[in-house]
């Protein structure tokens, strides 16, 4: 019986083809599973940031994201946020860049930061809009400027609580930036405050001064919803029709507000009126 051996070249070709198929398959599996990078995907980083913002808003008793037809969230960080104010429109130019990635909540848009080791997220809320900052390392800067435009002409820093009022050309504010907050990855408070210069609002996050765990999340949050309610309550309770700016001068701190109400209404009336105002605003 004659035994015919396969040609050696055919055997080598089969071997090469088999090795190639194995290599291609392995590469495909690596690409699908993402194990080659060994790092979180951009989507994972976006979700992590969104969760950090949620944790921060809970600690600060701030507003959760919600659809708001009066806020235009840009698809690119190079464009401005457009938000309605009381009697006007405010634009907010954030220190962000690049096309945003949308988180699973379909409300949070995360962009790259113009500044080193930082990112910016924009969320509409029921009463305004939030522009959150992610500080990813100790190499990131401490100052994050937000340039306001549209009808915004003047910023007033409230020395009592660190919040900022935004005015147009008149004495009525267009809206308000809530008191700033910042937390590290372990939930510890990071010192932060606002500074104003013209129509630029800068959030300063003093993360280099302490032993903090990165990432750190901070936020400027714009709102305008409660300003009309604030004036309405004071008019009904105190019989006053004043500009909001004048009211703020009278009640810019709890101590000043209490003394003003006692002088106006007496102790009983002040307690009754103050309780009603707090119930509506909180």
């Amino acid at each position: 019986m004659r035994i015919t051996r396969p040609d050696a070249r055919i055997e080598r070709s089969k071997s090469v083809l088999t090795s190639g198929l194995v290599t291609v398959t392995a590469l495909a599996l690596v690409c699908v599973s993402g194990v080659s990078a060994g790092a979180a995907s951009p989507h994972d980083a976006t979700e992590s940031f969104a969760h950090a913002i949620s944790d921060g808003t809970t600690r600060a008793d701030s507003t959760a994201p919600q659809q708001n037809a009066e806020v235009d969230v840009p698809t690119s960080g190079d464009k401005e946020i457009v938000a309605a104010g009381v009697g006007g429109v405010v634009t907010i130019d954030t220190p962000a860049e690049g096309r945003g990635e949308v988180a699973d909540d379909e409300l949070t848009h995360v962009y790259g930061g113009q500044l080193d080791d930082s990112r910016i997220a924009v969320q509409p809320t029921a009463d305004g809009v939030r522009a959150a900052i992610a500080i990813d390392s100790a190499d990131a800067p401490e100052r994050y400027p937000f340039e306001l435009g549209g009808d915004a002409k003047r910023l007033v820093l409230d020395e009592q609580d660190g919040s900022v009022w935004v005015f147009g050309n008149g004495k009525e504010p267009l809206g308000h930036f809530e008191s700033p907050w910042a937390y590290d990855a372990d939930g510890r408070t990071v010192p932060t405050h606002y500074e104003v210069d013209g129509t630029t609002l800068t959030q300063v996050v003093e993360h280099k001064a302490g032993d903090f765990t990165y990432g750190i999340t901070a936020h400027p949050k714009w709102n305008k919803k409660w300003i009309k309610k604030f004036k309405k309550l004071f008019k009904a309770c105190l019989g006053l029709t004043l500009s909001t700016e004048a009211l703020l001068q009278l009640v810019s701190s709890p101590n000043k507000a209490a003394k003003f109400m006692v002088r106006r209404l007496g102790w009983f009336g002040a307690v009754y009126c103050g309780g009603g105002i707090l119930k509506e605003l909180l």
Side-chain angles (χ1 to χ4, degrees):
M1 181 176 65
R2 182 180 179 184
I3 300 176
T4 305
R5 298 185 60 186
D7 187 277
R9 288 175 298 176
I10 296 176
E11 288 293 334
R12 285 196 298 271
S13 297
K14 288 181 178 179
S15 177
V16 169
L17 285 172
T18 301
S19 299
L21 285 171
V22 170
T23 301
V24 170
T25 302
L27 286 172
L29 288 172
V30 166
C31 291
V32 171
S33 63
V35 297
S36 63
S41 70
H43 183 72
D44 290 340
T46 294
E47 289 305 309
S48 177
F49 189 9
H51 286 307
I53 298 169
S54 178
D55 290 344
T57 56
T58 299
R59 294 187 183 98
D61 195 25
S62 190
T63 311
Q66 188 174 321
Q67 287 286 2
N68 188 335
E70 295 187 323
V71 173
D72 181 14
V73 177
T75 56
S76 170
D78 303 297
K79 297 180 180 180
E80 300 170 328
I81 302 166
V82 181
V86 178
V89 174
V90 170
T91 62
I92 306 172
D93 189 6
T94 70
E97 63 183 6
R99 187 169 183 82
E101 172 151 350
V102 183
D104 288 344
D105 62 11
E106 298 184 352
L107 294 171
T108 305
H109 291 67
V110 177
Y111 316 93
Q114 293 176 0
L115 305 175
D116 292 341
D117 291 332
S118 69
R119 289 167 292 148
I120 302 294
V122 176
Q123 294 178 329
T125 67
D127 56 357
V129 63
R130 174 183 296 109
I133 307 162
I135 299 172
D136 293 329
S137 82
D139 294 328
E142 293 190 316
R143 302 174 63 83
Y144 295 85
F146 295 81
E147 178 64 34
L148 274 65
D151 294 314
K153 305 299 180 185
R154 181 166 55 100
L155 308 183
V156 178
L157 178 66
D158 188 327
E159 300 290 347
Q160 301 296 325
D161 64 4
S163 64
V164 172
W165 294 88
V166 181
F167 289 86
N169 288 320
K171 292 188 176 182
E172 298 300 329
L174 297 167
H176 177 248
F177 282 95
E178 295 178 0
S179 303
W181 56 255
Y183 297 99
D184 77 354
D186 293 329
R188 291 176 295 182
T189 301
V190 181
T192 185
H193 64 275
Y194 289 143
E195 294 179 359
V196 298
D197 181 15
T199 55
T200 300
L201 172 104
T202 299
Q203 181 161 5
V204 181
V205 185
E206 300 172 43
H207 64 95
K208 296 179 184 291
D211 184 19
F212 298 110
T213 304
Y214 296 89
I216 291 170
T217 304
H219 97 315
K221 180 181 175 297
W222 161 267
N223 77 77
K224 59 98 178 178
K225 184 176 181 180
W226 71 273
I227 292 177
K228 289 182 177 179
K229 184 182 288 187
F230 175 84
K231 291 186 65 180
K232 182 179 178 181
L233 287 167
F234 266 84
K235 181 178 180 180
C237 192
L238 300 174
L240 289 175
T241 304
L242 298 173
S243 71
T244 306
E245 189 168 27
L247 279 174
L248 290 173
Q249 292 172 357
L250 290 171
V251 297
S252 60
S253 72
N255 187 45
K256 288 177 67 175
K259 288 181 178 179
F260 175 76
M261 292 173 70
V262 168
R263 288 197 307 268
R264 183 92 181 176
L265 302 172
W267 281 103
F268 180 78
V271 171
Y272 180 80
C273 184
I277 290 172
L278 288 174
K279 181 179 178 181
E280 288 294 328
L281 293 181
L282 297 180

